[in-house]
Amino acid sequence: MAHRKVVEAVDRSLRQNDRSMGGITVLFCGDFRQTLPVIPQGTRADEVGACLKSSYLRRDIQSVLLTINMRVRTGNNPDDRQFSDKLLKIGEGTYPQLHQGKLILTPELCCIVQSQPHLISSVT
C-alpha cells in the first residue's frame, strides 16, 4: 500500500478547479484488509495514519469490492477454492473461528513445514 502522502502529492500536481486529481479517473488497486504502509519504527497509529483511508481524498474515492478470486475460479484445484473462501470470510469477519474479533488458528489454517526444501516445494 502506498503512503497517503504520495497519492496526495499526485493530487496536488494534477488538481485543477478544486477537482480531485484534476478530474482524471484514477484507479487504485489494493486490499485494505492486507498490508498497511510500513512506517519504520512507527506505531500502529502511524501506520493507520499513513493509509489512504486516512487521507482527505477518501471522500472522493468510490470503492468497488471485488469478491471473486478469478485465479482460483479458472483453476481446477478445490483446495485453492476453499482457501480463497476462507480468506474472504476472515476479511468480512464472518469466519466461524473468530472470537472477539481475533482469528483462532486451527490446524487446517496452518501450513506445517519440516524443512526449507519442503517449504519451497509446498509453495511452488
Side-chain angles (χ1 to χ4, degrees), residues 1 57 62 74-75 82 91 117:
M1 301 290 296
L57 292 168
Q62 176 186 358
T74 58
Q82 289 176 347

Side-chain angles (χ1 to χ4, degrees), residues 83 105-116 118-124:
F83 182 72
L105 288 177
T106 56
E108 69 270 5
L109 290 177
C110 299
C111 176
I112 309 299
V113 179
Q114 289 82 23
S115 65
Q116 184 179 9
H118 181 252
L119 172 64
I120 292 169
S121 68
S122 296
V123 297
T124 57

Side-chain angles (χ1 to χ4, degrees), residues 15 20 33 42 51 53 56-57 64-65 82 84 87 91 104 113 116:
R15 186 169 284 269
S20 294
R33 297 179 293 197
C51 182
K53 282 188 159 187
Y56 66 86
L57 292 168
V64 177
L65 302 177
Q82 289 176 347
S84 175
L87 283 180
I104 299 169
V113 179
Q116 184 179 9

Side-chain angles (χ1 to χ4, degrees), residues 22-73:
I24 298 171
T25 300
V26 178
L27 176 65
F28 297 102
C29 299
D31 187 348
F32 288 106
R33 297 179 293 197
Q34 291 185 3
T35 308
L36 290 171
V38 175
I39 308 298
Q41 299 177 349
T43 65
R44 174 140 173 88
D46 294 333
E47 291 172 349
V48 171
C51 182
L52 186 58
K53 282 188 159 187
S54 299
S55 174
Y56 66 86
L57 292 168
R58 180 75 175 126
R59 61 181 159 73
D60 297 327
I61 295 174
Q62 176 186 358
S63 293
V64 177
L65 302 177
L66 305 176
T67 57
I68 298 172
N69 186 331
M70 294 307 291
R71 185 177 299 149
V72 172
R73 184 174 227 185

